[in-house]
Amino acid sequence: MFYREAGQYKTSYKADMSVFPLLQDRIGIIAILAIAFVAVPLFASEFIILSVMVPFLVFALAAIGLNILTGYTGLISLGTGAFMGVGAYACYKLTTLFPGVNIIVWIIVSGFFSAAIGVVFGLPSLRIKGFYLAVATLAAQFFLQWCFVRIPWLYNYNASGAIEVPERTLFGLAITGARSSPEVRYLVLLSIVVFLTWIASNLVHGRIGRSWMAVRDMDIAAELMGIKLLPTKLLAFAVSSFYCGVAGACMMFLWYGGGEANDAFNVNQSFIVLFMVIIGGLGSLIGSFLGAFFISTLPTILKFGVPAVGIPLTGALAEHLTHIMVGALIIFFLIVEPHGLARLWQIAKQKLRVWPFPY
Amino acid sequence: MKGFKWTMAAAFAAGLASAAPMPAKAQAQDSIFIPLLSYRTGPFASSGIPIANGMRDYLEMINQRDGGINGVKIVIEECETGYDTKKGVECYDSLRSRNPVVVNPYSTGITLQLIPRAAVDKIPMLSMAYGLSASADGNTFPWIFNPPATYWDGASVMVSYMAQREGGFDKLRGKTLGLIHLDAPYGKEPIPVLQAMAEKYGFTLKLYPVAAADMQNQSAIWLNIRRDRPNYLYNQGWGAMNPTAVREAIRNNFPIDRLVGVWWAGGDDDARAGGAQAAGYRSLNFHQAGTEFPVIQDILKHVVDKNLSRVDARSRVGENLYNRGVYNSMLMVEAIRHAQQLTGKKVVTGEDVRRGFETMNITEARLKEIGMEGFAAPVRLTCADHNGHNRVFVARWDGTRYVRDSDWIEPIRDVVRPLIEDAAKKYAEANAGWPRRTETCDQRS
């Protein structure tokens, strides 16, 4: 009723294969983009932009990265935090060595460094699977984090041992550093996220995505069909790490404005992104966004939103509640809806399609 | 099951919708807003809770006893950071629009993040004896204050203390000083000064970093300590790391009186963990523990006895870290008083309080007036010197509380100060576009 496809005929292969075949979906996505690009910077408060939207977008990008590897290709990774760190430190080194080049270029380029490291740690994936691979990526997490802390060259020998993000501008407008406005940072980040999501969507809907999913569903069958396992798996590692690396660079430069690996890129970070992917939905781009939004904003909502509507909740209690809720929700989702929030969204769409006459 | 899923989805949507509006509470015009970034959760809570209580109770006492600072009520609000940089910055963002007159991040990590923003947001930041040591240079960091001493002062005091015990600086040659430290910006701060001193006085410096994840499992590092047998061990730890270090020292037969913590490693719970054998553990300090001071008595009378405090037992008032929190709040209140004097305004702004800090001069007489005679040393700041590099003493855990064990020791200023000015210059150079100081310097009245 609200959402029906009757009368929308597809007369070409192109129309049939499009990502959003329904008119309503296309209107929806345009509306969401319009809200994100225009309404949010115009009307949202600085707090909403900095503490809700920016973390959400950064984590969405990281979740897409992990989802490509874990959700689409079926390779479990616990090294997301470290790959994000590679992006952040690469971007820091690049922008301090070549301050003349625009920071946005370096944020994207830092993803390639992360991709290269990801390929190296993805090499064992041909021989080992499942738990064993998870442990191999955990090794990447610990090894890389050790490097970030122990190799002073990476943080330019700062006395504090932390990245200190310098000011960088675009058309005379500060986009990093203390003087950059939240709106500018948000818009830069949003553009990166939208652009990379578009690329990811094209990847997973095309030949490469199909081969990833074939490997996920049954690698021996995929091999028999002529998919070369090693390049496919390594490509998944590379693309996944690329996204995580860009997310890490965005995190340091557009959100934190500086920081240190033990704090920002530890194993907890890897777990949080994994929870996002599980709760959001494995093998789904929209799931990455839903999961990232849910997990990254839940603590903020409990800590600031609940007291704002008049329920007294102290910070310490909110902190404990967050841990309890995230833990409970993960168990809940694994049992009740293993496909996560993305599947709930799909069910909702299906219901709207047949409303008010369910069959 | 289908219906259940639906309800859940609806509840989820409702939850998001209800969270959308986050109105900033309106501030009354006759009050001053002081946010307290505190942490009562996480691995550092054992050190964070007494400090949060002390900070809160002193401000509450000023409100209860005097009706505020010169009659202006203080609005106190805590924001839970969990000692997590991300959450700390989120707290700062949520509080910034409400015009706080001063912010204490209470974490070196959060301080490092906020340093570049203080000047832009025009909010002075008090990082009392923590944070970036170089921020003591007021010419480069007009908005950051870290009295009464920096980690670098602390490290130099440690070397002086070692010399006192050994009978002179010339006896240090050939000795070994170990630094067991949290492997984070906080723990690494004293390294450059200790290195400089090791070169100057001829002792060996050994580093024992403890990763945040291994705070409670230090056996590997203590294996090295047992092998190296350093003559003294300086402990720059925090939270769960300190009680573990004290316990490990006892377990490994390291002479407990040669384990000296920086002031943050001087929590009562840190030493208590070692049991009776921990008596003799030492820690640097810049204020006294105990309840015999009039200011603590006033807190007991006006806050704790009226059930306005969040301490879980009356006996915890007067603990070393509790008193640290009291001292921290005293600095803020005194800076606000100076700001009121300077501007003639009652309700001051962040900009005024910055000037208040720069002209702050807490003399012995003033300490007596506010009920802190013998509690701490005088503090005097200037526009160029935002720290004072004040005297520090060594406290000893006697089994039940910390007592003063040494005279006041002066930091080795002629080593520390040039290092600070040099580090400040480097910081400004590394952060392209670092603003030059344009703030004028007030004359002390």
Side-chain angles (χ1 to χ4, degrees):
Chain A
M1 173 69 186
F2 290 113
Y3 187 77
R4 102 188 131 167
E5 51 201 296
Q8 297 188 31
Y9 302 109
K10 295 158 194 155
T11 50
S12 63
Y13 282 117
K14 199 168 171 260
D16 196 37
M17 279 161 51
S18 66
V19 178
F20 299 108
L22 297 186
L23 178 66
Q24 287 91 333
D25 279 345
R26 285 195 292 271
I27 294 172
I29 203 82
I30 289 167
I32 288 173
L33 285 178
I35 290 171
F37 272 103
V38 181
V40 170
L42 277 182
F43 302 114
S45 69
E46 274 191 11
F47 178 71
I48 295 271
I49 292 179
L50 279 178
S51 298
V52 178
M53 294 310 290
V54 168
F56 157 56
L57 289 174
V58 166
F59 278 120
L61 205 53
I64 290 174
L66 184 63
N67 224 335
I68 286 172
L69 193 65
T70 304
Y72 284 99
T73 323
L75 303 168
I76 302 168
S77 167
L78 289 174
T80 321
F83 294 133
M84 289 172 79
V86 174
Y89 280 83
C91 191
Y92 180 62
K93 283 310 287 185
L94 287 168
T95 193
T96 46
L97 286 174
F98 309 100
V101 181
N102 195 280
I103 186 73
I104 297 173
V105 174
W106 285 142
I107 285 178
I108 302 285
V109 168
S110 61
F112 290 104
F113 286 81
S114 186
I117 302 276
V119 166
V120 173
F121 283 98
L123 276 174
S125 65
L126 187 68
R127 291 295 166 86
I128 54 180
K129 280 190 270 197
F131 268 136
Y132 303 95
L133 183 63
V135 172
T137 54
L138 200 59
Q141 166 72 44
F142 290 133
F143 174 70
L144 290 171
Q145 195 184 333
W146 181 88
C147 290
F148 300 145
V149 176
R150 286 274 159 266
I151 303 178
W153 178 78
L154 285 174
Y155 49 83
N156 283 356
Y157 306 94
N158 284 332
S160 57
I163 295 179
E164 288 156 359
V165 170
E167 187 170 295
R168 294 285 181 266
T169 54
L170 177 69
F171 308 128
L173 217 60
I175 50 178
T176 65
R179 267 183 293 178
S180 57
S181 78
E183 287 82 5
V184 171
R185 268 145 69 182
Y186 167 77
L187 283 176
V188 170
L189 178 58
L190 183 67
S191 313
I192 293 174
V193 171
V194 167
F195 173 69
L196 287 180
T197 308
W198 175 70
I199 292 192
S201 161
N202 279 313
L203 274 177
V204 298
H205 286 101
R207 180 183 61 83
I208 294 169
R210 294 282 145 204
S211 60
W212 284 341
M213 284 183 261
V215 170
R216 171 191 65 191
D217 292 339
M218 193 171 188
D219 52 355
I220 296 176
E223 203 172 8
L224 287 174
M225 285 193 300
I227 294 170
K228 290 197 182 81
L229 284 189
L230 187 63
T232 312
K233 284 181 173 180
L234 287 187
L235 185 64
F237 260 100
V239 175
S240 160
S241 307
F242 177 86
Y243 277 79
C244 292
V246 175
C250 289
M251 179 169 166
M252 267 308 151
F253 282 76
L254 299 174
W255 174 19
Y256 274 37
E260 179 253 353
N262 274 339
D263 182 56
F265 303 117
N266 54 23
V267 71
N268 269 1
Q269 187 81 343
S270 304
F271 279 119
I272 287 171
V273 180
L274 188 63
F275 296 159
M276 287 170 182
V277 173
I278 290 174
I279 287 193
L282 285 166
S284 145
L285 288 179
I286 182 127
S288 308
F289 280 92
L290 293 175
F293 188 76
F294 187 70
I295 302 251
S296 76
T297 55
L298 181 70
T300 314
I301 288 169
L302 279 177
K303 202 157 99 182
F304 299 102
V306 173
V309 292
I311 304 164
L313 184 70
T314 59
L317 184 62
E319 207 60 34
H320 295 309
L321 268 181
T322 308
H323 284 287
I324 296 171
M325 281 178 70
V326 170
L329 276 168
I330 287 166
I331 299 174
F332 176 84
F333 269 103
L334 288 180
I335 296 170
V336 178
E337 186 51 271
H339 297 290
L341 293 170
R343 177 75 187 138
L344 291 180
W345 170 241
Q346 240 173 22
I347 294 171
K349 279 207 299 191
Q350 190 60 32
K351 296 265 177 192
L352 285 176
R353 191 176 284 181
V354 295
W355 190 85
F357 304 115
Y359 44 77
Chain B
M1 199 43 108
K2 275 264 162 66
F4 181 54
K5 276 179 198 166
W6 255 113
T7 340
M8 211 197 67
F12 176 64
L16 291 184
S18 70
M22 290 196 198
K25 284 177 207 143
Q27 288 295 305
Q29 282 306 303
D30 52 350
S31 60
I32 292 177
F33 176 48
I34 301 184
L36 301 178
L37 270 63
S38 60
Y39 38 104
R40 296 170 183 271
T41 63
F44 300 92
S46 64
S47 304
I49 291 171
I51 288 176
N53 285 331
M55 285 203 293
R56 192 190 180 91
D57 288 357
Y58 182 81
L59 296 177
E60 191 66 56
M61 186 271 284
I62 295 283
N63 270 347
Q64 294 291 324
R65 190 189 64 186
D66 310 341
I69 306 168
N70 287 329
V72 186
K73 274 252 177 219
I74 311 165
V75 178
I76 314 159
E77 196 177 296
E78 275 191 48
C79 189
E80 173 70 28
T81 69
Y83 201 75
D84 180 298
T85 306
K86 183 178 75 195
K87 288 179 195 155
V89 174
E90 187 180 83
C91 276
Y92 178 80
D93 281 327
S94 76
L95 297 161
R96 192 171 48 135
S97 58
R98 296 169 54 193
N99 301 322
V101 294
V102 53
V103 166
N104 343 232
Y106 250 99
S107 137
T108 295
I110 301 172
T111 308
L112 292 176
Q113 304 279 4
L114 296 184
I115 282 175
R117 300 179 60 177
V120 179
D121 296 339
K122 307 262 175 240
I123 301 169
M125 195 161 73
L126 171 64
S127 52
M128 182 193 69
Y130 58 87
L132 188 71
S133 296
S135 63
D137 181 359
N139 290 327
T140 311
F141 300 92
W143 290 86
I144 319 295
F145 298 87
N146 56 359
T150 65
Y151 290 141
W152 293 4
D153 296 315
S156 77
V157 167
M158 174 66 208
V159 175
S160 295
Y161 176 68
M162 206 160 69
Q164 272 184 18
R165 296 247 320 241
E166 295 294 323
F169 279 100
D170 47 328
K171 299 271 170 54
L172 290 179
R173 191 160 295 279
K175 296 280 187 300
T176 309
L177 171 66
L179 172 69
I180 176 165
H181 66 92
L182 186 69
D183 204 1
Y186 155 65
K188 289 188 214 167
E189 272 282 326
I191 294 174
V193 163
L194 288 176
Q195 274 168 346
M197 299 247 166
E199 214 160 292
K200 187 169 172 193
Y201 298 116
F203 62 88
T204 318
L205 177 69
K206 294 249 181 201
L207 301 180
Y208 305 105
V210 177
D214 296 329
M215 286 197 303
Q216 282 162 300
N217 175 26
Q218 301 174 8
S219 34
I221 221 80
W222 280 88
L223 214 59
N224 294 347
I225 294 174
R226 221 158 53 192
R227 184 195 60 205
D228 299 343
R229 283 272 153 210
N231 299 85
Y232 290 86
L233 205 49
Y234 185 49
N235 173 20
Q236 182 123 357
W238 188 225
M241 178 178 157
N242 295 330
T244 314
V246 172
R247 265 200 304 265
E248 285 283 351
I250 292 167
R251 219 163 60 89
N252 287 284
N253 280 326
F254 187 85
I256 195 74
D257 62 321
R258 286 165 180 256
L259 176 63
V260 184
V262 69
W263 37 79
W264 298 112
D268 285 36
D269 287 334
D270 298 344
R272 217 173 266 141
Q277 286 167 288
Y281 171 65
R282 280 157 170 77
S283 150
L284 303 186
N285 219 342
F286 45 80
H287 60 77
Q288 298 275 20
T291 55
E292 61 269 27
F293 304 94
V295 61
I296 308 288
Q297 288 301 324
D298 278 352
I299 288 177
L300 283 169
K301 189 170 133 205
H302 293 284
V303 184
V304 180
D305 289 346
K306 287 189 193 163
N307 264 335
L308 294 168
S309 173
R310 288 176 67 183
V311 288
D312 46 13
R314 208 185 138 100
S315 64
R316 305 211 61 156
V317 175
E319 284 190 349
N320 199 15
L321 290 183
Y322 180 92
N323 284 11
R324 182 88 33 93
V326 169
Y327 183 85
N328 185 83
S329 284
M330 180 276 285
L331 289 179
M332 293 193 286
V333 169
E334 289 305 304
I336 292 168
R337 278 189 215 280
H338 276 90
Q340 286 173 332
Q341 225 173 39
L342 208 63
T343 59
K345 284 193 284 185
K346 288 229 137 183
V347 182
V348 289
T349 62
E351 167 80 60
D352 302 331
V353 175
R354 188 194 69 77
R355 295 167 59 196
F357 268 114
E358 287 200 333
T359 53
M360 190 157 80
N361 186 12
I362 305 175
T363 56
E364 290 281 4
R366 181 63 194 152
L367 282 171
K368 192 172 176 185
E369 256 172 57
I370 54 178
M372 288 192 172
E373 195 182 13
F375 183 80
V379 182
R380 185 170 179 273
L381 302 184
T382 65
C383 296
D385 182 1
H386 279 194
N387 183 275
H389 307 289
N390 286 281
R391 291 173 289 167
V392 174
F393 66 87
V394 177
R396 174 172 54 85
W397 175 255
D398 69 356
T400 49
R401 60 175 280 191
Y402 282 96
V403 289
R404 197 162 128 183
D405 190 58
S406 80
D407 273 342
W408 291 97
I409 302 175
E410 298 278 347
I412 307 176
R413 292 201 188 87
D414 55 336
V415 176
V416 172
R417 192 63 200 181
L419 279 171
I420 280 185
E421 276 159 21
D422 187 46
K425 214 172 88 200
K426 276 202 191 117
Y427 183 97
E429 272 165 16
N431 290 268
W434 188 256
R436 295 191 82 79
R437 180 177 169 127
T438 51
E439 288 80 2
T440 51
C441 186
D442 288 294
Q443 289 307 309
R444 211 182 300 277
S445 51

